[in-house]
Amino acid sequence: MQVTRQTCQRVLWLGTRRYLSATPASQPTVISRFLLWLSQNFHDVEPLLNWSTTLRNRVVRRKNLFYGYAQRRYGENIAAAYYILSLKGAFRFAGQTEWFRPNDRGRFSYDFMSFPAATIEEIDLSGTPINCNGLDNLVTQVHLRRLTLRGCPEVDGWFLSRLHAFSESLEELDISHCPRITTGALCALIHLRKLKLLDISSLSSLQNPGLVHILIEEMLPHCLVTGTGYSQGLSSEDRMQTNSTAGLKAQATQPQAEENGQTSVQRHGEMH
Amino acid sequence: MSFWQRLPSKLHSFQAVGVPSRTVRPQTRIFLPRIRNVSTGVPMRSDFVKDLELQLKAMREKAAAALPGSEWTPFEVRHGLPPERVDVLIIGGGVVGWSIAYWLKRKTGPRKALRVLVVEKDPTYSQSSTVLSAGGIRQQFSLTENIQLSLASADFLKNINEHLSVLNEDPVDLQFNHSGYLFLASEKGAHIMEANYETQRHVGAKVKLLSPAQLKDMFPWINTDGVALASYGLENEGWFDPWTLLSALRRKALSMGVEQCLGEVTGFRYGVHSVENRELGRLQIRGITHTNIQMPNSIEVQPVESTVVINAAGANSGKVAKMVGIGLGPDDMISGISIPVEPRKRYIYVVHCPDGPGMDTPFLIDYSGVYFRREGLGANYITGVSPEETEEPDITNLDVDHEFFKDKIWPELAYRVPAFESLKVTSAWAGFYDYNTFDQNGLLGIHPLVRNMYFATGFSGHGLQQSPAVGRAVAELILDGGYKTLDLSALDIKRIIYEERVLESNIV
Ligand SMILES: Cc1cc2nc3c(=O)[nH]c(=O)nc-3n(C[C@H](O)[C@H](O)[C@H](O)COP(=O)(O)OP(=O)(O)OC[C@H]3O[C@@H](n4cnc5c(N)ncnc54)[C@H](O)[C@@H]3O)c2cc1C
């Protein structure tokens, strides 16, 4: 009987991991594990779970709305500043030393409204749900020099490909710990010709980080690229998951094609 | 599905009753306890035990197959007969066919149970353009419709997990490469490029023009001789894995209740009635009642009744249209105008070149027509070119002509990128364009001579990137009676009858 319980737990745990791989930032809570178990045993729970994903997507979408009204009424800089603060991010105006950031409860003062002409020079949006639509609010800040996006769950290639708006000014970019950034996403950085400092540490979706590091240095010759958090290899937990999902991945049609051109080529070769 | 999921636990309880707990031994991957071999020497008993053992083994295998991490998928290809009656029958399980199926279901929702059947003749997709394509997506077109289609599709790909994720399955990873397309124009083509650029900006694509000097600065490995102007896509352009998109669309559509059937459409049963049309005169209008599906490895032909038939058979769609009699009438009549879609063979060569460009390689299209892009990070590239109209290769097979590379591609490649002087061809494949000989653009909508056959074909080399938006457009045509989100009436199939071409103005 003990075996039974153990295996059940294992199945549950695996299932949860798979489910949560869609939401990399969160930890499996008791409730979500219970819901998952329910959904695996009863069909009626499925819509509920789908619904919660929809809800989550909606929250992200709402947080990344375009503040068109604020922009028209108060100007681009104020709208951008307001957007950053409402995401619980922080920023610094050009020519000032002081940072504007909300307090722990997300409240912030509206002092920044008194500098409608000031452009933003540094932005820190670490850990916020900013996505490529939210960038609409920021692309007006063409004097942006430093952007920190450490551990942002929604930052992906589509996001990076929009950073060309800052190609004339951006000097420092930190995209470490962003779980959705892949090799194909990093290709978009080619537009950032002024970049001097780039942090690509601990990108969990990146395969061949060593090679990618070298290739990025080649692509951006004037930029210092830092990337740590790869040399230690996989943690034991990750390794377990890799094993258990290996079969599944293989079946989900050659996921390494991008990293290893050969795979897709071989597939095509087999085709005829 | 739920049956299989529950199976392991059922088995446990079963064994817990039948076998003394002593014999239960934990196992690592297969979670079911194994029974110790009980050999008693009493034949009757041993028979029974063996039997039981065999049965348990079979069950165990099934159960293990159903657990996460196995090859098993809940959607088995239906080897049995197709249903007798459906609402919408889609011919062709390529990316276009599955996209339409997905959008039909998505738009009707689960409650209004629209029965959709996708008929695909080849489960391995060995000749389907979708999996043999180069996987590129760009907005650098000259026709507003094409730019809009591609923008809408890029938006779909951006939010692909909102569209195509299936509960308890891994999220879709398209392996999208945000490297952009780089078009090079010579003196002759520069003004067309500029005009196209204006259109693209106007429609909302993010493109930038580069002078030869800027080009050289950004891509030092390019030889800019002969280049007068270049245009480079900044957003929403690049390439992805077509197979992933196809299987994700299929997986989602199946999970929403779309049915699929393995078999080839060989003919139709239809009624004919005569009507008077103001513009076109007296017409013999056909209405398809049944689609005949030839089952694999058998002589059996199964008729399936349906209200609507969608022709998304890719390169084969001209042939399928002939089965309803389109194009078989006298030459001077409308019924004599066939669907101008035919297979055209295109080669793709995989080359290896250790000194070639790195991560800054875009999808480059030279003014000679030669294109190449990176494939992975191992200094591999894929390249190709469309042959001259007079030199179209034989389409009876998918064999690759290696001389073609030496004569037509390599000289151009090595001229543009001197490093490619020292490349090696490592492999190659060929695929069929669903080539529209009339004007090389998509053909959408109902044919005036067949009341209930919708077309979505003829994309000639950009069908993959347009498929998500095309699926939505066709679903709108069927369910809403007209285009709702994007007005694609310029791509209506009726233009072949009025002889109105919509042409891309190419720089090449
Ligand atoms: C070499 C090459 C490179 C390309 N590069 C690009 C690119 O970079 N970007 C881009 O957007 N597009 C590209 N394309 C074009 C793109 O692949 C096609 O336009 C697109 O895949 C068309 O999709 P489809 O679903 O209509 O056709 P297909 O994928 O061909 O699907 C049609 C399906 O219908 C089935 N079928 C046919 N007849 C019948 C029948 N009678 N009964 C049952 N089933 C039938 C076939 O088996 C096939 O699976 C390329 C094409 C080629 C050949």
Side-chain angles (χ1 to χ4, degrees):
Chain A
M1 274 337 275
Q2 206 190 344
V3 179
T4 319
R5 202 173 310 130
Q6 268 173 10
T7 53
C8 280
Q9 270 170 0
R10 200 175 141 78
V11 170
L12 244 172
W13 179 77
L14 281 176
T16 326
R17 288 300 299 232
R18 276 168 71 201
Y19 171 64
L20 284 162
S21 57
T23 54
S26 44
Q27 284 292 314
T29 62
V30 176
I31 294 178
S32 69
R33 287 212 321 246
F34 177 64
L35 277 176
L36 191 83
W37 178 80
L38 279 179
S39 85
Q40 282 174 341
N41 289 280
F42 306 99
H43 275 298
D44 310 336
V45 188
E46 256 184 51
L48 201 77
L49 282 185
N50 279 331
W51 189 60
S52 80
T53 327
T54 319
L55 215 66
R56 189 184 149 269
N57 289 338
R58 197 175 299 164
V59 169
V60 172
R61 205 173 305 144
R62 207 189 56 225
K63 290 209 165 148
N64 284 292
L65 281 184
F66 178 52
Y67 293 168
Y69 173 74
Q71 214 172 70
R72 272 190 314 268
R73 177 106 199 257
Y74 302 105
E76 294 162 346
N77 303 338
I78 299 291
Y82 178 66
Y83 169 71
I84 295 167
L85 291 176
S86 62
L87 273 185
K88 300 193 184 138
F91 68 89
R92 186 177 64 75
F93 280 127
Q96 299 187 2
T97 47
E98 173 199 355
W99 280 73
F100 290 90
R101 62 175 80 238
N103 67 13
D104 293 344
R105 290 162 65 204
R107 300 262 171 80
F108 50 86
S109 81
Y110 285 80
D111 294 347
F112 64 90
M113 304 268 295
S114 38
F115 308 101
T119 57
I120 296 175
E121 201 170 68
E122 281 188 58
I123 301 181
D124 180 1
L125 282 164
S126 300
T128 59
I130 184 170
N131 69 10
C132 62
N133 297 329
L135 264 182
D136 279 336
N137 293 306
L138 300 183
V139 288
T140 51
Q141 300 306 309
V142 289
H143 300 289
L144 183 69
R145 287 177 49 194
R146 191 161 145 203
L147 181 59
T148 310
L149 298 161
R150 206 177 149 82
C152 292
E154 304 289 327
V155 166
D156 55 7
W158 302 93
F159 183 98
L160 295 188
S161 74
R162 295 202 61 191
L163 292 182
H164 68 84
F166 311 119
S167 62
E168 290 309 310
S169 63
L170 197 67
E171 288 171 2
E172 290 178 33
L173 179 65
D174 180 354
I175 45 174
S176 57
H177 297 90
C178 291
R180 287 222 207 159
I181 289 186
T182 57
T183 315
L186 292 171
C187 296
L189 298 179
I190 182 173
H191 299 288
L192 304 177
R193 311 305 294 174
K194 294 267 164 72
L195 208 61
K196 289 194 188 120
L197 217 60
L198 174 68
D199 191 344
I200 52 164
S201 310
S202 303
L203 302 178
S204 53
S205 322
L206 202 63
Q207 283 157 0
N208 299 339
L211 178 59
V212 170
H213 191 134
I214 296 170
L215 288 171
I216 292 187
E217 279 176 346
E218 238 174 64
M219 177 168 84
L220 302 167
H222 308 296
C223 177
L224 181 69
V225 185
T226 44
T228 52
Y230 297 113
S231 49
Q232 298 93 318
L234 294 169
S235 70
S236 62
E237 190 191 47
D238 283 346
R239 208 175 294 135
M240 250 172 111
Q241 204 203 350
T242 318
N243 286 342
S244 61
T245 51
L248 215 131
K249 285 265 173 60
Q251 166 213 0
T253 65
Q254 45 99 12
Q256 272 96 19
E258 171 44 35
E259 262 55 49
N260 168 12
Q262 230 44 43
T263 325
S264 126
V265 171
Q266 271 160 11
R267 171 167 57 78
H268 288 301
E270 280 158 16
M271 283 288 158
H272 49 264
Chain B
M1 170 152 180
S2 66
F3 170 66
W4 291 121
Q5 284 175 343
R6 255 173 283 164
L7 191 62
S9 50
K10 273 204 188 127
L11 273 182
H12 277 301
S13 42
F14 171 48
Q15 290 201 334
V17 178
V19 190
S21 57
R22 231 173 344 105
T23 59
V24 177
R25 195 147 39 108
Q27 241 186 319
T28 44
R29 219 175 95 63
I30 302 170
F31 303 127
L32 299 170
R34 189 187 285 159
I35 314 163
R36 207 173 274 165
N37 214 338
V38 199
S39 160
T40 51
V42 185
M44 265 282 286
R45 173 106 190 266
S46 121
D47 265 7
F48 172 76
V49 172
K50 271 206 184 107
D51 242 26
L52 185 72
E53 225 174 304
L54 279 180
Q55 274 189 13
L56 282 175
K57 192 166 164 253
M59 282 169 95
R60 220 161 35 213
E61 273 162 10
K62 271 189 195 164
L67 284 167
S70 73
E71 291 287 304
W72 186 84
T73 66
F75 317 115
E76 235 178 313
V77 174
R78 206 180 154 126
H79 289 290
L81 294 175
E84 277 173 19
R85 222 212 93 80
V86 293
D87 296 311
V88 181
L89 185 144
I90 301 174
I91 307 168
V95 72
V96 174
W98 279 112
S99 168
I100 297 172
Y102 161 74
W103 280 105
L104 281 173
K105 274 288 175 191
R106 159 91 194 257
K107 279 181 70 74
T108 45
R111 239 166 270 178
K112 272 205 216 122
L114 187 77
R115 260 192 112 169
V116 181
L117 176 73
V118 175
V119 186
E120 169 57 51
K121 65 174 176 187
D122 180 7
T124 61
Y125 289 99
S126 60
Q127 305 221 331
S128 309
S129 328
T130 301
V131 295
L132 298 172
S133 75
I137 174 166
R138 59 173 158 131
Q139 281 82 50
Q140 300 185 52
F141 291 100
S142 67
L143 276 178
T144 310
E145 281 76 14
N146 280 340
I147 305 170
Q148 283 173 331
L149 274 173
S150 167
L151 275 173
S153 297
D155 199 59
F156 181 93
L157 300 182
K158 193 185 290 180
N159 300 310
I160 191 151
N161 277 306
E162 274 177 47
H163 287 285
L164 301 186
S165 70
V166 177
L167 193 73
N168 280 337
E169 301 270 340
D170 283 341
V172 186
D173 175 14
L174 280 180
Q175 295 150 32
F176 200 102
N177 257 278
H178 295 266
S179 295
Y181 268 67
L182 178 65
F183 279 79
L184 306 182
S186 62
E187 201 72 63
K188 229 169 58 206
H191 68 282
I192 305 178
M193 178 177 272
E194 252 177 277
N196 291 355
Y197 167 79
E198 290 303 329
T199 322
Q200 288 150 14
R201 295 295 291 205
H202 182 74
V203 182
K206 300 283 186 286
V207 187
K208 158 168 125 175
L209 289 181
L210 299 174
S211 70
Q214 285 169 317
L215 184 68
K216 187 86 196 168
D217 180 48
M218 217 162 165
F219 307 102
W221 40 266
I222 290 184
N223 169 19
T224 52
D225 293 351
V227 178
L229 193 64
S231 75
Y232 186 29
L234 299 170
E235 287 177 28
N236 301 329
E237 290 197 336
W239 59 89
F240 58 93
D241 182 33
W243 185 267
T244 310
L245 177 64
L246 177 67
S247 36
L249 277 167
R250 179 163 162 260
R251 183 181 78 169
K252 182 67 183 184
L254 288 172
S255 82
M256 292 166 103
V258 173
E259 293 163 79
Q260 68 173 338
C261 146
L262 206 60
E264 181 169 356
V265 171
T266 52
F268 299 94
R269 258 190 247 164
Y270 50 85
V272 184
H273 62 273
S274 172
V275 294
E276 193 66 37
N277 184 299
R278 250 182 295 123
E279 294 166 44
L280 303 168
R282 180 149 288 279
L283 295 178
Q284 303 287 320
I285 303 277
R286 299 182 169 89
I288 298 173
T289 55
H290 292 81
T291 305
N292 295 329
I293 302 175
Q294 166 97 48
M295 305 315 285
N297 306 325
S298 92
I299 49 164
E300 194 176 2
V301 173
Q302 184 73 20
V304 178
E305 198 182 341
S306 67
T307 323
V308 169
V309 175
I310 299 174
N311 186 345
N316 237 343
S317 49
K319 217 167 100 193
V320 170
K322 279 215 163 63
M323 296 174 194
V324 231
I326 298 177
L328 297 183
D331 278 349
D332 53 342
M333 303 263 285
I334 292 179
S335 54
I337 302 174
S338 51
I339 301 294
V341 178
E342 57 179 53
R344 291 270 173 104
K345 187 155 84 174
R346 295 291 178 267
Y347 308 116
I348 291 188
Y349 302 87
V350 186
V351 302
H352 181 71
C353 179
D355 305 326
M359 246 170 99
D360 55 345
T361 320
F363 199 128
L364 188 143
I365 303 192
D366 187 41
Y367 54 75
S368 61
V370 171
Y371 67 84
F372 78 90
R373 70 160 169 86
R374 192 167 51 73
E375 171 74 38
L377 297 176
N380 292 308
Y381 307 84
I382 66 174
T383 171
V385 70
S386 287
E388 301 284 330
E389 188 78 32
T390 50
E391 293 173 2
E392 282 290 348
D394 165 41
I395 53 160
T396 49
N397 55 43
L398 279 176
D399 295 345
V400 176
D401 177 4
H402 282 274
E403 289 306 310
F404 185 74
F405 177 79
K406 287 207 188 88
D407 297 342
K408 306 280 171 187
I409 300 181
W410 200 355
E412 305 289 348
L413 263 189
Y415 180 69
R416 193 49 66 214
V417 182
F420 281 149
E421 220 48 93
S422 61
L423 59 75
K424 276 201 179 64
V425 179
T426 50
S427 96
W429 75 86
F432 291 126
Y433 264 19
D434 42 346
Y435 193 82
N436 170 356
T437 53
F438 180 70
D439 60 7
Q440 294 85 52
N441 277 307
L443 297 165
L444 298 178
I446 303 193
H447 193 276
L449 291 185
V450 186
R451 196 167 44 78
N452 56 353
M453 183 186 260
Y454 288 80
F455 284 81
T457 182
F459 300 103
S460 333
H462 41 258
L464 175 71
Q465 60 189 284
Q466 299 189 337
S467 59
V470 162
R472 187 179 65 183
V474 174
E476 283 169 3
L477 273 188
I478 293 171
L479 299 171
D480 308 324
Y483 297 116
K484 294 280 160 192
T485 42
L486 275 184
D487 181 11
L488 300 176
S489 32
L491 297 180
D492 198 287
I493 194 160
K494 289 195 192 69
R495 71 180 190 271
I496 59 175
I497 289 167
Y498 299 119
E499 300 237 359
E500 288 164 3
R501 290 181 167 72
V502 288
L503 290 161
E504 275 285 325
S505 43
N506 292 320
I507 320 140
V508 181

